[in-house]
Amino acid sequence: MKTSRLLEGLKARDPRAIGRAISLVENGDESAEAILSALDENFVSEAVIIGITGPPGAGKSTLTNSIISELRQSGKRIGIIAIDPSSPISGGAILGDRIRMMQHATDHDVVMRSMATRGRLGGLCATAGAAVRIMASSGCSFIIIETVGVGQSEMDIIRLADITLLVLAPGLGDDIQAMKAGLLEVADILVVNKADCKGADILAMDLEAVTRKGSSTPTQVSMTVATESKGIAELLDRIDKLDSEHRDTGERKTRRRAAHEQEVLDWCLEMLRPKLQAEITKRELPLLGDPRLKAKKILEEQ
Amino acid sequence: MTEKTKKHRVLVGKPGLDGHDRGAKFIAHALRDAGFEVVYTGIRRSPDEIAAAAIQEDVDAIGLSSLSGAHMRLFPAVVEALDKAGAPEIPVLGGGVIPDEDIVALKAAGIAEIFTPGTPVDKIISAFQDACEKKPAG
Amino acid sequence: MTKHPKLVEWEEKELAKSLNRFPERKDKFTNHGGEEIPRLATPENMDDRYLEKISFPGQYPFTRGVQPTMYRGRLWTMRQYAGFSTAAESNKRYRYLLEQGTTGLSVAFDLPTQIGYDSDDPMSLGEVGKVGVAIDSLADMETLFDQIPLDKVSTSMTINSPAAILLAMYVAVGEKQGVAPEDIKGTIQNDVLKEYVARGTYIFPPKPSLRLITNIFQWCGQKTPAFNTISISGYHIREAGSTAVQEVAFTLANGCTYVQTALDAGLELDIFARRLAFFFNASSDLLEEVAKFRAARRLWARLMKERFGARKPTSLMLRFHTQTAGNTLTAQQIDNNIVRVTIQALAAVFGGTQSLHTNSKDEAHSLPTEESVRTALRTQQILAHESGVADTIDPLAGSYYIEALTDKIEREALALIHKIEESGGVVKCIEEGFIQRQIENAAYQYQLEIERSERIIVGVNKFQIQEDKKPPLLRVNPEVEKTQVAKLTEVKKNRNNEQVTNRLTKLETAAQGDGNLMPHIYDCVKEYATLGEICNVLRKVFGEYKDRG
């Protein structure tokens, strides 16, 4: 599709145009620049971006699905980006989060995209960020990024979010301990899903002591049973209140600034990588000698 | 610009009521192992849902599976749904318990390829690769 | 040579009782030379190990079979699964099969019926009458069994999520024929747990589905005591790609779940347990399959005794139906399938199955023709009457390989059952996807072996030929959907619609409570409420299950 037609399509909220635009950015196509620079900035700055992460089996996709259903009732246009890992061996991926949200497939105000990590580090973040912007400029006021919270690249994704939900479920045991180092301190709301199962209350109690880095108050804990849409309205309410709070205190702006700068840095690295790679190859470096010094030399000469 | 990381994206799903997903899951895994990104949509999908998802995900091809004999109605319905939604260029490939006479009719209705039981997986992967490569940019 | 006292005891107790009830098929079973074929071969030294683990047919732990005389008393039931397009067409096929010597009917329903949709529902488009008969209301059921007296046949219905409704219809048809409910014989598959992991015709979530199942156990216990209320299935799990050990483990784990659910609902074990039946796959590895069936019987008996404290022998017996493995049928060189089915049927007979369905050679292409079905039936008849394997009981017992393999399968299946329990039970494992992943991985491995020619499938990855001849195939009349929808419209016009609404409302109220839903479903069915109408009421109250992928 020609770029001009694509941009018209985005404005008209045509699903094909949105899908195509995201693909072009994902594939590093030349036309991506033109598309990204023509996006409607107002929509982008207004949209609320929610990050949903957590260990496998916690029920993230089911929760996302319930959130979508609830938001659709108030007529919101929603975007979802579901991220799954690529196989390090084949480079392929099974993108299976969509399965639990297929009831919304024919709803034009639910824009969904499944994305594979493709083994990129910062690159994934950059692409997901671009997808968020594309969705926002097509009128999505709520955008959800769903990832499995175990890898470093998934941790980075969370930076893109205004508000992060960490979804846990009773019986997942050791995963909680493993996560203490990272995600627990990054989440804005801790969601105990499968709240009707044994151990949910104990888990909620354990989480009461968790505090977000830099905050003085403990992180809020929400209880949900996503399969029965229980606790969803309350969760959205909390998100809404938190969002208002962040706007008032300037926290939202601070986070967006940090994310924006990080995104620009990621793009810089993405763009520099091939150039530097070419330079390194060109020089046919000998095997002896300290790599760090060589790097310094190359950069000085750029 | 950035590193070009183009991957072929395929949607695999089962239209209609048939719940036997062993074949569809196998193909999804095999495609993944061959480097494809597979959006797996599971069982009990309507043709409209499949078409809508395929367009959103901007896939390069669709793989359908049917073992219940309803392929003559359901596979062309997916082609129609794609057409109606403005994406007739996405190739549709199908597999399952499908008699030879039906294959002719299905191809006439716009299905790119049909795989019957026992087709070697390499052949299926190649067919998907061809379909993805041939797909016009749209 | 003196007989072991335990053998004498068995002969005087279980065997004598059985012979009294019904004698063996012949006074003497002889071979071509006129020599008598022994009923049961036993080791010269019957040690404790033999007595404890292998024992005698009809005696705990039933390794050698659930009846003392097995096929010498009565051959297995030759029960061919059939049904397609309309009830009238299916009725014709059933009457043909009964004429040809089938001893039991087995009904296949189309997908809309299995998933609780009427033939005019948009979800049913293209699927009506394709894989089985379309049943929208009692009217269709009446046509299905026209001129078939329900007190003279035993009918197995492959129906799960809406089983309660089809059961109610069957009993209602019987009533109209003047047959008392207590004389109704047959089985409903009614095994919803495997639907979530292997077959896909689920409707409601697990908890309300289990409730419906216990309602059926209770109702049948009082009203239709000769009817088997559940056929706990491993067939589909195996078809989905599981190993033999997984087939046994997941099936028996599901069985334990049903038993526990029924006990939790206050039902008495030794009353409902005797009506539990099983359904297994007979795959191509002859020896493994024989060991599998024996292991399953022994393991179930032990579980029922040790875990649930069942006391009556009938509660400990694993009675099962077998179907030869559909997933082994090839589309290439279809005559080869007759050979495959023969081997698989032989495995089932050596394994002591109570009833058997043999697949037809053309089923990798479409539903079978009348001729192919006849050949499949003849396969069973030849095994029964010409091969001699039915004249002596559990002939492979004592084989070093078979006994070792039986032990191994039992051991590994039990370990897997324990793993499921440690992970929170079957329902939890289904919700977490544990069982599905196990099956998927096994299936994937198996398929890879075929693709790499590490596993040979004759005619497919070795010994292929160029085939031009196309086999004659069965084509389902495309007019079926139209005919069925027309009939449905007629039924809705002619019934008492006020009564229907009345009964449906009562059902909805009952579903919101804890009571038994069967009487309400029966009332709805008698007024010609449709399957879809009844299921929609239940969908409203119970919700729908969503696949986790």
Side-chain angles (χ1 to χ4, degrees):
Chain A
M1 214 190 271
K2 278 177 72 187
T3 311
S4 47
R5 256 184 64 202
L6 204 66
L7 289 169
E8 273 167 38
L10 283 180
K11 255 203 216 112
R13 301 184 175 187
D14 175 24
R16 282 189 73 219
I18 299 172
R20 282 263 78 221
I22 296 177
S23 293
L24 291 172
V25 175
E26 253 206 316
N27 297 334
D29 194 282
E30 275 96 38
S31 54
E33 258 183 53
I35 297 166
L36 291 175
S37 46
L39 297 179
D40 190 332
E41 292 296 323
N42 286 322
F43 272 122
V44 176
S45 61
E46 272 317 299
V48 178
I49 305 165
I50 309 290
I52 298 184
T53 187
K60 290 186 300 299
S61 295
T62 314
L63 182 69
T64 305
N65 186 46
S66 305
I67 291 176
I68 297 170
S69 301
E70 187 77 30
L71 286 172
R72 287 298 296 131
Q73 281 178 26
S74 40
K76 295 232 176 353
R77 183 171 161 81
I78 310 163
I80 304 113
I81 299 169
I83 303 180
D84 276 311
S86 296
S87 157
I89 302 165
S90 71
I94 301 249
L95 307 173
D97 295 307
R98 191 170 187 118
I99 251 192
R100 256 149 294 185
M101 303 180 226
M102 281 302 280
Q103 69 189 90
H104 303 288
T106 48
D107 183 344
H108 272 221
D109 282 325
V110 176
V111 180
M112 184 160 170
R113 181 70 175 218
S114 308
M115 225 176 242
T117 54
R118 290 193 185 177
R120 305 164 287 200
L121 290 172
L124 170 62
C125 222
T127 315
V132 167
R133 291 156 59 79
I134 291 170
M135 286 182 176
S137 74
S138 83
C140 291
S141 56
F142 232 89
I143 299 171
I144 299 172
I145 306 177
E146 193 202 306
T147 93
V148 179
V150 284
Q152 184 55 39
S153 54
E154 286 91 341
M155 272 287 285
D156 292 337
I157 290 295
I158 292 314
R159 280 189 283 104
L160 289 170
D162 296 320
I163 292 172
T164 300
L165 269 48
L166 175 60
V167 185
L168 300 167
L172 296 176
D174 307 319
D175 297 312
I176 314 283
Q177 297 303 317
M179 257 188 286
K180 276 214 154 82
L183 288 170
L184 282 176
E185 276 122 45
V186 147
D188 290 298
I189 300 175
L190 301 168
V191 180
V192 174
N193 192 28
K194 305 193 187 179
D196 56 344
C197 288
K198 212 166 64 162
D201 290 321
I202 297 175
L203 176 58
M205 265 188 347
D206 282 341
L207 295 172
E208 263 164 33
V210 174
T211 318
R212 195 191 144 92
K213 200 157 74 157
S215 164
S216 53
T217 48
T219 313
Q220 299 178 61
V221 178
S222 280
M223 312 287 285
T224 59
V225 183
T227 48
E228 291 169 30
S229 303
K230 289 205 179 114
I232 307 299
E234 293 83 347
L235 176 61
L236 285 172
D237 210 39
R238 270 203 167 145
I239 292 172
D240 195 41
K241 287 205 175 77
L242 200 56
D243 182 52
S244 302
E245 215 182 279
H246 285 186
R247 282 174 204 259
D248 289 339
T249 58
E251 174 68 13
R252 182 184 155 94
K253 227 185 187 142
T254 310
R255 291 191 191 188
R256 285 256 174 144
R257 170 154 293 282
H260 190 76
E261 287 177 5
Q262 185 62 47
E263 208 181 325
V264 172
L265 178 59
D266 286 338
W267 279 117
C268 287
L269 294 171
E270 274 299 292
M271 289 188 269
L272 278 175
R273 182 181 292 274
K275 284 201 200 133
L276 293 173
Q277 180 65 65
E279 185 61 37
I280 291 170
T281 312
K282 192 171 85 181
R283 291 184 183 215
E284 288 183 7
L285 303 165
L287 287 178
L288 295 167
D290 180 40
R292 192 163 183 269
L293 290 172
K294 291 183 190 179
K296 232 173 149 187
K297 189 156 184 263
I298 292 172
L299 285 176
E300 275 163 15
E301 290 168 20
Q302 287 305 306
Chain B
M1 209 206 165
T2 58
E3 207 180 313
K4 279 201 199 272
T5 56
K6 177 153 176 55
K7 293 268 185 244
H8 288 316
R9 288 166 66 90
V10 174
L11 183 147
V12 171
K14 290 181 69 65
L17 301 178
D18 171 31
H20 299 95
D21 55 2
R22 176 182 180 173
K25 280 185 174 168
F26 177 72
I27 294 298
H29 277 109
L31 284 168
R32 190 265 317 263
D33 289 344
F36 288 75
E37 284 175 0
V38 184
V39 178
Y40 182 69
T41 54
I43 65 173
R44 260 191 244 178
R45 302 274 87 105
S46 74
D48 284 333
E49 283 171 353
I50 290 177
I55 290 170
Q56 280 194 357
E57 300 286 356
D58 193 37
V59 299
D60 300 305
I62 294 174
L64 303 175
S65 152
S66 168
L67 286 80
S68 69
H71 49 270
M72 285 306 291
R73 171 101 214 351
L74 295 168
F75 289 6
V78 172
V79 173
E80 271 167 50
L82 284 170
D83 204 33
K84 219 167 59 172
E89 76 279 359
I90 302 182
V92 176
L93 294 75
V97 178
I98 298 169
D100 288 340
E101 306 92 271
D102 289 358
I103 295 181
V104 177
L106 287 171
K107 285 196 170 163
I111 314 296
E113 272 305 328
I114 292 286
F115 309 111
T116 47
T119 309
V121 76
D122 293 338
K123 199 156 167 253
I124 300 177
I125 306 273
S126 298
F128 271 99
Q129 239 142 24
D130 284 340
C132 289
E133 259 139 49
K134 283 207 198 94
K135 176 191 170 247
Chain C
M1 201 178 58
T2 44
K3 274 192 197 165
H4 193 283
K6 283 289 179 186
L7 174 58
V8 175
E9 205 186 304
W10 173 74
E11 284 177 346
E12 289 172 0
K13 262 175 61 191
E14 280 95 353
L15 180 62
K17 216 164 47 173
S18 177
L19 289 172
N20 264 330
R21 268 225 309 276
F22 47 86
E24 290 183 334
R25 290 182 284 122
K26 302 186 191 157
D27 287 332
K28 246 171 131 190
F29 286 84
T30 51
N31 67 5
H32 181 90
E35 289 153 352
E36 189 158 1
I37 298 173
R39 175 179 297 116
L40 185 74
T42 51
E44 278 175 25
N45 290 321
M46 233 178 275
D47 59 4
D48 285 339
R49 190 190 174 280
Y50 174 84
L51 292 169
E52 194 193 301
K53 293 187 82 163
I54 303 172
S55 187
F56 304 104
Q59 193 177 83
Y60 182 86
F62 305 102
T63 314
R64 303 197 73 173
V66 297
Q67 289 112 5
T69 52
M70 284 306 290
Y71 306 133
R72 285 167 68 106
R74 210 171 52 176
L75 291 169
W76 63 89
T77 304
M78 300 185 190
R79 195 189 291 280
Q80 296 294 85
Y81 188 60
F84 53 90
S85 68
T86 60
E89 289 283 323
S90 299
N91 177 263
K92 251 176 45 198
R93 177 61 71 93
Y94 292 156
R95 284 187 285 139
Y96 172 76
L97 284 170
L98 287 168
E99 277 163 37
Q100 291 300 315
T102 309
T103 41
L105 295 176
S106 179
V107 185
F109 299 94
D110 69 2
L111 283 174
T113 305
Q114 292 187 56
I115 304 181
Y117 294 116
D118 285 338
S119 303
D120 59 358
D121 192 299
M123 293 295 287
S124 307
L125 272 174
E127 310 261 20
V128 178
K130 286 278 163 59
V131 303
V133 67
I135 300 285
D136 291 323
S137 74
L138 181 58
D140 291 317
M141 209 63 166
E142 285 162 352
T143 310
L144 189 63
F145 291 102
D146 180 43
Q147 293 172 60
I148 297 175
L150 295 198
D151 54 349
K152 297 278 188 325
V153 299
S154 143
T155 303
S156 168
M157 295 190 271
T158 302
I159 190 81
N160 294 277
S161 302
I165 300 162
L166 277 301
L167 171 64
M169 287 183 184
Y170 190 71
V171 174
V173 169
E175 219 180 43
K176 288 213 168 171
Q177 285 181 358
V179 177
E182 53 262 25
D183 294 331
I184 302 268
K185 280 194 288 289
T187 312
I188 32 171
Q189 197 167 88
N190 193 26
D191 169 13
V192 84
L193 291 175
K194 62 101 171 49
E195 294 298 325
Y196 301 113
V197 306
R199 194 166 178 274
T201 67
Y202 45 75
I203 308 177
F204 323 111
K207 289 201 197 102
S209 302
L210 286 172
R211 179 250 181 107
L212 267 173
I213 290 172
T214 31
N215 286 173
I216 292 173
F217 285 0
Q218 195 173 43
W219 193 76
C220 286
Q222 289 157 355
K223 221 171 144 117
T224 60
F227 203 85
N228 293 313
T229 50
I230 190 168
S231 185
I232 306 166
S233 307
Y235 176 80
H236 321 86
I237 293 172
R238 190 68 182 275
E239 287 292 289
S242 84
T243 62
V245 166
Q246 288 168 338
E247 183 189 346
V248 175
F250 296 148
T251 308
L252 266 52
N254 288 349
C256 289
T257 308
Y258 292 127
V259 170
Q260 190 60 57
T261 311
L263 289 174
D264 291 342
L267 301 184
E268 209 183 300
L269 183 61
D270 283 312
I271 290 184
F272 73 78
R274 59 189 296 271
R275 280 292 151 224
L276 302 177
F278 288 79
F279 173 26
F280 287 112
N281 195 306
S283 196
S284 298
D285 186 333
L286 175 66
L287 303 171
E288 185 181 58
E289 293 301 282
V290 176
K292 177 190 84 182
F293 296 126
R294 299 169 90 247
R297 264 198 301 273
R298 187 161 74 207
L299 184 52
W300 181 249
R302 287 189 170 163
L303 284 168
M304 286 301 277
K305 188 168 194 207
E306 292 163 20
R307 176 176 304 194
F308 295 108
R311 281 187 295 247
K312 286 209 176 125
T314 45
S315 303
L316 304 165
M317 288 178 199
L318 182 142
R319 299 169 298 124
F320 65 100
H321 168 75
T322 306
Q323 177 167 339
T324 58
N327 67 12
T328 59
L329 300 175
T330 59
Q332 299 84 344
Q333 299 176 46
I334 63 176
D335 285 343
N336 293 344
N337 291 326
I338 298 175
V339 180
R340 294 186 174 100
V341 169
T342 308
I343 295 171
Q344 294 158 0
L346 183 59
V349 169
F350 276 145
T353 191
Q354 275 57 59
S355 72
L356 179 61
H357 164 99
T358 33
N359 289 330
S360 303
K361 67 184 191 181
D362 47 1
E363 292 195 67
H365 286 277
S366 76
L367 291 178
T369 59
E370 213 169 72
E371 202 189 310
S372 320
V373 168
R374 192 177 60 224
T375 304
L377 180 58
R378 295 289 180 256
T379 305
Q380 293 197 48
Q381 289 161 338
I382 292 169
L383 279 176
H385 300 287
E386 296 181 25
S387 76
V389 299
D391 296 344
T392 184
I393 303 170
D394 190 31
L396 298 192
S399 144
Y400 301 120
Y401 186 64
I402 293 289
E403 294 302 351
L405 199 48
T406 304
D407 290 351
K408 184 168 184 286
I409 293 176
E410 183 192 2
R411 198 173 48 239
E412 289 176 6
L414 184 57
L416 190 46
I417 292 175
H418 282 155
K419 183 133 196 250
I420 293 173
E421 277 154 10
E422 282 156 29
S423 310
V426 168
V427 174
K428 184 117 195 280
C429 285
I430 289 172
E431 287 168 356
E432 301 287 305
F434 171 72
I435 296 175
Q436 294 91 316
R437 274 193 303 274
Q438 287 261 313
I439 298 171
E440 256 168 68
N441 289 337
Y444 193 56
Q445 268 314 113
Y446 186 83
Q447 196 60 34
L448 282 182
E449 286 169 14
I450 293 175
E451 297 295 339
R452 295 182 189 141
S453 294
E454 286 164 12
R455 179 178 292 277
I456 302 297
I457 306 293
V458 175
V460 173
N461 60 6
K462 202 168 173 157
F463 309 116
Q464 299 109 315
I465 60 169
Q466 186 56 26
E467 281 177 286
D468 302 312
K469 206 167 57 141
K470 293 196 175 85
L473 294 176
L474 184 87
R475 306 299 262 148
V476 175
N477 188 341
E479 292 298 294
V480 166
E481 203 163 304
K482 283 203 198 113
T483 319
Q484 192 63 22
V485 172
K487 190 169 178 196
L488 181 57
T489 318
E490 267 303 296
V491 169
K492 284 187 173 170
K493 234 177 33 193
N494 295 335
R495 65 186 185 180
N496 183 336
N497 281 294
E498 211 188 291
Q499 267 293 63
V500 170
T501 313
N502 193 311
R503 297 297 189 190
L504 288 173
T505 312
K506 286 214 172 89
L507 174 63
E508 190 175 336
T509 314
Q512 284 157 353
D514 288 324
N516 194 319
L517 296 178
M518 277 308 292
H520 297 279
I521 293 174
Y522 193 65
D523 287 338
C524 290
V525 152
K526 293 224 317 243
E527 297 295 337
Y528 295 88
T530 68
L531 179 82
E533 284 167 345
I534 299 173
C535 284
N536 285 339
V537 164
L538 296 176
R539 277 188 180 98
K540 208 168 132 198
V541 178
F542 298 149
E544 280 183 299
Y545 177 78
K546 296 238 168 65
D547 180 20
R548 61 166 298 288

